[in-house]
């Protein structure tokens, strides 16, 4: 029981998949508990009293919240199959780009909840952020952390599993292959990594979910 690992998550959330991917890459066993975010369980409210959000990792009865914090905890607790490089500078850069991705996530959320000129502006900014990731973060490397998958790749995994769904739901095409060849190649490599490829969300279900969410957001905006 001391080393028992549980994950409280919700299938549409890319933040939850980060935790599952990291545990898979470490070859760790865990119990997954699906949360209904419209009707949160007492367990979630107990384990994450501050934010009341998923994901939550519970290790030996102790809860850890916030996906990037959880990834660091997993890395420090189970050092096998490391997710961070050995070199201190490279480790710092891995953390930098993981945080960059999270800091820029509102830009991509904006394309999803806007229409017309506002959406066009958000799309332009999103492409600028993708170009930064392609040229400065990824460059000529196979993965963001080098020749093997690491923490930054996991943190940016939403680009591989969610972005094209969000694009289709929002009626946009951001990540064009001819404009972002390196990111496209990385997406294919990422999806083929053992521990990732078996744990990707169903695209059809995701598309239905995100189309409904977009319709809801637009309807709320139209009322104001």
């Amino acid at each position: 029981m001391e080393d028992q690992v549980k994950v409280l998550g919700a299938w549409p959330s890319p933040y939850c998949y980060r935790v599952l991917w990291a545990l898979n890459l470490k070859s760790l066993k865990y119990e997954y508990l699906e949360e209904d975010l419209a009707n949160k369980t007492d367990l979630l409210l107990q384990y994450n009293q501050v934010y009341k959000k998923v994901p939550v990792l519970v290790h030996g009865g102790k809860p850890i919240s916030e996906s990037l914090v959880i990834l660091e905890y997993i890395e420090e607790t189970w050092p096998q199959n490391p997710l961070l490089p050995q070199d201190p500078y490279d480790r710092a850069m891995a953390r930098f780009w993981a945080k960059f991705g999270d800091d820029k996530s509102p830009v991509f959320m904006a394309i999803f909840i806007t229409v017309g000129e506002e959406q066009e502006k958000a799309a332009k900014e999103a492409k600028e952020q993708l170009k930064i990731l392609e040229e400065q973060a990824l460059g000529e490397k196979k993965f963001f952390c080098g020749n093997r998958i690491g923490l930054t790749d996991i943190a940016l995994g939403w680009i591989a599993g969610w972005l094209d769904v969000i694009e289709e739901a929002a009626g946009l095409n951001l990540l064009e292959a001819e404009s972002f060849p390196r990111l496209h190649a990385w997406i294919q490599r990422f999806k083929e990594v053992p521990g990732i490829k078996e744990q990707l969300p169903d695209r059809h279900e995701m598309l239905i979910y995100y189309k409904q969410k977009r319709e809801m957001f637009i309807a709320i905006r139209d009322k104001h």
Side-chain angles (χ1 to χ4, degrees), residues 46-183:
Q46 171 193 337
Y47 280 139
N48 191 353
Q49 297 181 20
V50 177
Y51 291 117
K52 302 176 176 61
K53 297 191 304 185
V54 292
V56 177
L57 177 81
V58 184
H59 179 214
K62 297 178 180 179
I64 303 99
S65 305
E66 295 298 289
S67 61
L68 288 183
V69 176
I70 294 171
L71 293 185
E72 292 273 5
Y73 179 86
I74 291 171
E75 177 72 349
E76 292 178 6
T77 305
W78 297 283
Q80 72 271 22
N81 304 328
L83 302 176
L84 284 168
Q86 287 189 335
D87 181 78
Y89 177 79
D90 291 340
R91 293 168 76 91
M93 288 299 96
R95 293 182 172 111
F96 173 87
W97 288 115
K99 186 176 185 302
F100 175 89
D102 272 13
D103 289 346
K104 299 302 179 182
S105 60
V107 174
F108 294 90
M109 185 63 178
I111 68 169
F112 183 64
I113 63 174
T114 56
V115 295
E117 290 184 8
E118 196 175 353
Q119 190 189 51
E120 290 176 13
K121 182 181 177 183
K124 181 181 178 183
E125 188 175 354
K127 286 184 177 182
E128 290 171 357
Q129 305 311 321
L130 289 171
K131 185 60 70 175
I132 290 172
L133 287 172
E134 166 137 324
E135 294 180 351
Q136 299 186 43
L138 183 58
E140 300 294 337
K141 302 188 296 292
K142 287 179 64 177
F143 294 99
F144 284 97
C145 287
N147 288 324
R148 55 178 292 171
I149 193 169
L151 183 142
T152 311
D153 302 279
I154 293 171
L156 295 172
W158 61 270
I159 296 175
W162 279 257
L163 184 54
D164 73 315
V165 173
I166 291 172
E167 286 178 279
E168 185 172 343
L172 291 172
N173 189 8
L174 295 177
L175 197 60
E176 297 162 333
E178 57 271 21
S179 300
F180 301 98
R182 296 172 190 169
L183 279 177

Side-chain angles (χ1 to χ4, degrees), residues 1-51:
M1 292 294 290
E2 186 177 324
D3 289 327
Q4 187 180 36
V5 177
K6 296 180 181 180
V7 179
L8 280 67
W11 75 266
S13 168
Y15 300 106
C16 297
Y17 277 83
R18 288 175 173 179
V19 178
L20 304 182
W21 291 336
L23 293 171
N24 291 345
L25 291 170
K26 297 281 188 180
S27 300
L28 296 167
K29 293 182 179 180
Y30 57 90
E31 179 185 359
Y32 177 74
L33 302 172
E34 178 73 19
E35 282 286 331
D36 178 0
L37 299 183
N39 186 24
K40 297 175 182 179
T41 65
D42 291 340
L43 198 62
L44 175 60
L45 301 179
Q46 171 193 337
Y47 280 139
N48 191 353
Q49 297 181 20
V50 177
Y51 291 117

Side-chain angles (χ1 to χ4, degrees), residues 191-207:
K191 287 183 172 181
E192 288 302 314
V193 173
I196 303 289
K197 65 180 180 180
E198 306 90 351
Q199 193 95 52
L200 288 167
D202 181 273
R203 192 185 186 284
H204 178 68
E205 291 183 7
M206 291 276 284
L207 186 58

